[in-house]
Amino acid sequence: MPRVITVANQKGGVGKSTTTQNLGFALAERGHRVLLVDFDPQAALTVMCGVEPDNGGPTLADCLQGKAKTADVLERPRPQVWLLPGTLALAAFEVRAASSRERHDGLRRALQPVLAGFDVVLVDSPPNLGLLTVNALSAATEVLVPLQLDFLALRGMQALLQTIESVRAVHNPELQVLGILGTLHRGRALHSDEVLGRVRDHFGDLVFDSVVRTSVRFPEASSGGVSILEYEPRSPGANAYRQLAEEVEARG
């Protein structure tokens, strides 16, 4: 069975979609068959992969409700990369499923029929700790946390770790924290280095060696529907995600 890695942080703008996309493409570059799951109603990952969200066909939200086959929703934006596109209908699912006894297992059930076809599944979760994020954690073998190197972002880590522990205790005892990725490092800014130092002091080996620095290349690549590895293959951002892919493999 493949590794299912949920990329999670309740704070928006920390690089979840960017990390899901570029780690996925870096793993594909290394020969893995990769499935990206856009589990955020905003569907940023879908657009970043050059796929039109809400194209009128069955959606991931339909799969969660058993109204469509997951295989019928799959897109293949690259030869080694498949995508379950995001959709606004995911937000409606979160409301409708709130009272269901099986509300935490929708994504796990939806993925089950297609898992065998992939080496790695990466799930981009929404910027909150609601039902969709709990679904994403319940379906995962591991969770990767992108952490903006800012003191305010660091303060929110405790709530996320508590949610992960709750999901592990109630829904998914096999769930493990794969690691913490420092993102949005501002070059020579002392503040970023101070936060990174604190994170490494507190979390030790859980923190990846890879660090992703801010760059205008990321939004440029996203707006063109390509990864940073395709847009500027030799850039520091592309190399950071290649290094991360190596570290993820080593921790598997």
Side-chain angles (χ1 to χ4, degrees):
M1 295 298 286
R3 299 169 72 180
V4 180
I5 302 170
T6 287
V7 181
N9 191 318
Q10 75 273 24
K11 188 177 186 300
V14 301
K16 283 192 300 296
S17 299
T18 297
T19 294
T20 306
Q21 178 196 32
N22 290 293
L23 172 58
F25 277 63
L27 288 167
E29 193 176 75
R30 297 175 66 82
H32 297 282
R33 289 167 60 89
V34 178
L35 171 60
L36 305 180
V37 180
D38 190 348
F39 214 48
D40 186 344
Q42 298 178 70
L45 175 62
T46 299
V47 174
M48 290 163 63
C49 290
V51 174
E52 186 68 30
D54 297 311
N55 60 10
T59 69
L60 179 53
D62 294 322
C63 299
L64 298 177
Q65 300 172 76
K67 296 179 179 179
K69 294 181 178 180
T70 305
D72 293 339
V73 180
L74 281 173
E75 299 278 354
R76 193 175 184 180
R78 304 295 187 277
Q80 287 289 113
V81 179
W82 285 256
L83 172 72
L84 282 174
T87 168
L88 279 172
L90 287 169
F93 165 80
E94 189 166 29
V95 174
R96 285 196 299 268
S99 60
S100 169
R101 292 179 62 185
E102 299 180 336
R103 61 188 178 276
H104 303 109
D105 292 325
L107 182 59
R108 178 160 41 194
R109 291 195 306 271
L111 288 177
Q112 198 60 44
V114 300
L115 278 182
F118 302 101
D119 302 310
V120 182
V121 178
L122 295 172
V123 182
D124 183 23
S125 62
N128 57 55
L129 297 178
L131 182 58
L132 290 176
T133 297
V134 172
N135 258 259
L137 294 173
S138 296
T141 56
E142 300 152 279
V143 55
L144 187 156
V145 182
L147 178 65
Q148 180 181 356
L149 295 174
D150 178 273
F151 284 118
L152 293 178
L154 180 57
R155 292 178 63 186
M157 276 293 292
Q158 191 60 37
L160 175 60
L161 293 176
Q162 287 174 350
T163 299
I164 292 170
E165 186 55 42
S166 296
V167 171
R168 182 187 292 125
V170 179
H171 305 293
N172 186 2
E174 305 302 319
L175 181 64
Q176 300 294 324
V177 178
L178 173 61
I180 299 168
L181 173 68
T183 62
L184 299 178
H185 188 293
R186 290 176 292 176
R188 299 178 181 177
L190 182 60
H191 178 75
S192 293
D193 287 331
E194 288 177 349
V195 175
L196 182 59
R198 287 197 183 189
V199 173
R200 285 183 168 151
D201 287 344
H202 188 75
F203 293 103
D205 291 340
L206 271 182
V207 184
F208 290 108
D209 291 334
S210 310
V211 177
V212 181
R213 299 180 181 272
T214 57
S215 170
V216 296
R217 301 300 184 226
F218 285 112
E220 288 174 359
S222 298
S223 65
V226 297
S227 70
I228 192 71
L229 288 83
E230 298 164 302
Y231 183 73
E232 197 161 317
R234 298 183 181 180
S235 66
N239 288 332
Y241 280 109
R242 289 192 181 99
Q243 181 184 355
L244 177 63
E246 292 182 22
E247 291 190 77
V248 167
E249 283 183 337
R251 296 187 185 194

